[in-house]
Structure formats: structure tokens, C-alpha cells
Amino acid sequence: MKQVKLSFVIPCYRSEKTISAVLDEIKTTVAKKDNYTYEVITVNDSSPDQVLSVLKEESASDRYLKVLDLAKNCGKHAALMAGYAYAEGDIIISVDDDGQCPVNQLWKLLEPLEQGYDISIAQYSAKKQSTFKNFGSFVNAKMTQILLKKPKELQLSNFSAMKKFVCAEILKYQNPYPYIDGLFLRTTGRIANVPMEERERQAGSSGYTLIKSLNLWLNGFTAFSVLPLRFATVLGISFSVVGFLFGLWTIIRKIFNPDIMAGYSSLMAVVLFVSGILMMMLGLIGEYIGRIYISINNSPQYVIREAINVNNELPKGSGHDKKS
Ligand code: UDP
Ligand code: MG
């Protein structure tokens, strides 16, 4: 049977107490099937705790464990990108370092990839978390739906698997502020969700503060969407239409009833109309900036999943070369 190589990528931050258990679980899970080999790429995102020493210790006895040490804290998504760059497997799996990802359900996560999907993402049932965090998740889901064109039913999470070509495509993104979910969505339409239970954090507390999450969120949307810029155009068109109609109405009123005072109305009409035009122009400029932005952002025109009979060497003496 063909050997399939799995690459696990784990961004590590404040996880000296939990990372060993995650590594062990990966080892025991992969050992359950014969035709799989694996490697683990851990990325220390300049964690303030001793996780790097733990990783170094583990790597001394485990040659399948790669360790990358980032020079400064760059955030989860940049850490994942660093890990992806060193992944050599056929399937690349992103895992959190705190034991929240149900790694023991790995095989369930990989099933859709065999059925022709390119990315498979764990789908967790509603989390027990504060109303505030729930609201945050709701807004986030809506925004990704509108700005990144995420299908409504698709749920994004921290445990995912992707095929090699998706990883290669994602790595073409060279700009700051990588946002893995945005990169997933711009690469392929075949993304599967696999329902499973998310576990509780094994130890410590989340490395994500409110400010850090907010920053990530804003970066994600502005880095992959020009829709916020288009907002100005829409607003401008609406304002100028309202201003125009209001002006028309004022004129008609004055014609039929010359005695009314039309000073305020006509002034309002002109203000609305002119500010509308200005906003529309701003939106237009925004549109061009947006295009420049998306171009330097390396957005792909298309991504090829597989190419058949391309770059094949022609068999010697075949009919092909008789033509010339
Ligand atoms: N993480 C990181 N850099 C950071 C913060 C977090 O690499 O500055 C990683 C962390 O190691 C973990 C993942 O992001 O693998 C999720 O972090 P966490 O568990 O703190 O977030 P939550 O599960 O609460 O969303
Ligand atoms: Mg976590």
C-alpha cells in the first residue's frame, strides 16, 4: 500500500505543560495505522515560558520532531506559516498546543480528503463560553461570510487538514498579516467540515487577549477583502440619489406653490447631492486602491488542483512526432 506522509504543524505559545501530551497523542494515533508515516513541526512563537527547552528535549529522542524557534512573537497565523514552509508531508495538519484539538479523531478528519475534498476542518458543537465571547464568534462568522465569502454552513476552527497543493498555494502569500482561514477560502471551494467535540484546555490560559483577537480579526478582513472600501461607493450613490430626489421635489413644490419658503430644502438637497458625489468619488479611488492592494497581496487568479497529461514525456516513436 502507498505510504502517506502526515505533517503536523503546532504553533507553541505558553504551553510547556501541555505540549508533551499533544506530541504523545500524535504518536499513538498515527501508530494505529500501517501505511502512514509522520513528522511534527513545532514552532515556538517566542513563548515566554520554557516550552522551547521542552521541545529541544523531546527532539533529542525523536527525530521526527522538527523544532523552529521564531525570533519574536508573530502570532499564531505567522507561526503556522513558518511551520507549513518546512512541512514535507502529503497532508498537512494544523494542531493547537494546548490539547484542545481532539487528535485521537484524526482519521475522521482525514476521511473527506480521500473523498476528494482539499481541506477538512473540525466542526465543534457550540462552545460553553461567555455571552461576550459567543457574540464575538457570531460577529466573526457573519463577517467571514460577507467579506471572505465563507459558505454559511462552514465552520472554521483550530484543527484542520489540507492537501499538499493547498499548502503550497498558501505559502505563496508573502505579505505580513497572514490569515490562514482567509487563505483557505481563497484557495479552494472543496472544504469539508467534520463534527467532533472540542476538549477543554489542559492547562494554563488562552494566549489570546481581547486586543490580540481584535487585531487579528481586523487584519484578517482588511488583508483579504476590499468590500469595506466599496462601502463608500454604495453610501455615496445612496446619498446623491436622495439629494437629487429631494431637490426635484423641492422644485416641484415651489412651482405649484410659489409662496412656500424653499431655502432650507434647497440647501439640504444641494448638501446631500454634493456630499454624495464626493463620497462616490472617494469610493471610486478606494476601488483602485483595493485593486492595487489585492494585486500586491498575491491573490491567485486560479489554483490548479491536479494536471493530467501535462509535462508528460512523449513515448518514443509515438504518432506525435510524425506530424512534423
Ligand atoms: N499562539 C501562538 N502565538 C500567540 C498566541 C497563540 O502561536 O501569540 C498559538 C498557541 O500556541 C496555540 C494557538 O495559537 O497553539 C491557540 O492559542 P490559544 O489556545 O491561546 O487560543 P484559544 O484556544 O483560546 O483560541
Ligand atoms: Mg486553545
Side-chain angles (χ1 to χ4, degrees):
M1 216 188 270
K2 191 177 163 275
Q3 287 272 316
V4 177
K5 183 165 180 178
L6 305 176
S7 295
F8 294 85
V9 177
I10 315 180
C12 300
Y13 189 76
R14 291 185 192 275
S15 52
E16 56 181 10
K17 297 204 177 67
T18 53
I19 189 68
S20 300
V22 177
L23 294 174
D24 280 346
E25 189 173 23
I26 289 176
K27 199 182 278 180
T28 46
T29 307
V30 179
K32 284 189 184 135
K33 297 224 177 176
D34 294 335
N35 53 325
Y36 286 89
T37 57
Y38 80 106
E39 63 175 358
V40 179
I41 299 123
T42 50
V43 186
N44 171 35
D45 189 13
S46 268
S47 177
D49 65 359
Q50 294 306 311
V51 64
L52 182 63
S53 342
V54 177
L55 291 173
K56 280 183 176 163
E57 224 167 86
E58 295 267 356
S59 67
S61 60
D62 184 352
R63 63 193 186 88
Y64 299 116
L65 178 62
K66 299 181 183 173
V67 182
L68 305 173
D69 182 25
L70 300 191
K72 63 175 209 167
N73 180 259
C74 299
K76 173 181 181 175
H77 295 247
L80 279 171
M81 291 291 274
Y84 293 161
Y86 286 85
E88 289 169 352
D90 307 298
I91 293 172
I92 294 88
I93 301 146
S94 314
V95 184
D96 267 7
D97 60 354
D98 54 5
Q100 279 183 303
C101 302
V103 175
N104 54 352
Q105 312 228 26
L106 172 72
W107 307 115
K108 225 167 100 185
L109 185 73
L110 296 188
E111 266 168 29
L113 298 187
E114 282 158 28
Q115 294 156 7
Y117 284 97
D118 300 323
I119 300 175
S120 171
I121 304 179
Q123 178 183 33
Y124 303 132
S125 40
K127 266 185 273 182
K128 286 173 239 88
Q129 56 185 14
S130 66
T131 325
F132 179 70
K133 241 188 159 177
N134 264 334
F135 178 70
S137 313
F138 171 77
V139 174
N140 188 42
K142 274 283 163 230
M143 296 276 285
T144 29
Q145 219 170 300
I146 297 168
L147 296 182
L148 304 182
K149 302 206 172 62
K150 177 181 81 71
K152 192 158 180 242
E153 332 67 56
L154 187 71
Q155 196 189 306
L156 302 162
S157 73
N158 56 8
F159 188 32
S160 63
M162 63 179 148
K163 288 184 178 162
K164 200 180 184 147
F165 86 90
V166 177
C167 186
E169 179 59 40
I170 285 179
L171 282 172
K172 286 187 195 156
Y173 183 83
Q174 293 286 331
N175 298 297
Y177 315 128
Y179 186 60
I180 304 297
D181 299 334
L183 290 167
F184 276 172
L185 290 166
R186 84 176 192 183
T187 302
T188 174
R190 289 200 202 158
I191 306 181
N193 253 165
V194 183
M196 49 182 84
E197 281 299 318
E198 181 171 28
R199 293 189 292 217
E200 293 290 326
R201 241 189 119 79
Q202 302 301 313
S205 62
S206 171
Y208 269 98
T209 57
L210 182 66
I211 297 290
K212 238 174 163 177
S213 313
L214 206 68
N215 270 339
L216 179 73
W217 195 62
L218 276 177
N219 284 339
F221 292 128
T222 46
F224 290 98
S225 173
V226 292
L227 275 187
L229 283 172
R230 264 178 213 161
F231 184 64
T233 320
V234 175
L235 212 65
I237 294 177
S238 331
F239 265 55
S240 48
V241 167
V242 171
F244 183 75
L245 292 179
F246 193 55
L248 213 62
W249 186 60
T250 310
I251 293 170
I252 293 172
R253 264 202 326 164
K254 188 79 184 166
I255 292 173
F256 286 102
N257 188 358
D259 295 336
I260 59 158
M261 307 277 258
Y264 172 77
S265 308
S266 51
L267 212 65
M268 275 314 279
V270 172
V271 168
L272 271 175
F273 186 68
V274 172
S275 58
I277 297 275
L278 278 177
M279 261 192 272
M280 215 160 73
M281 287 302 163
L282 272 182
L284 204 66
I285 296 174
E287 186 73 22
Y288 284 102
I289 296 181
R291 275 163 205 239
I292 297 173
Y293 184 71
I294 287 296
S295 310
I296 59 169
N297 194 11
N298 300 339
S299 263
Q301 289 167 344
Y302 55 82
V303 179
I304 294 175
R305 178 177 286 120
E306 190 183 7
I308 295 168
N309 282 348
V310 174
N311 293 337
N312 267 0
E313 293 235 356
L314 294 176
K316 286 232 162 63
S318 69
H320 293 278
D321 36 31
K322 280 184 194 143
K323 255 190 233 156
S324 53

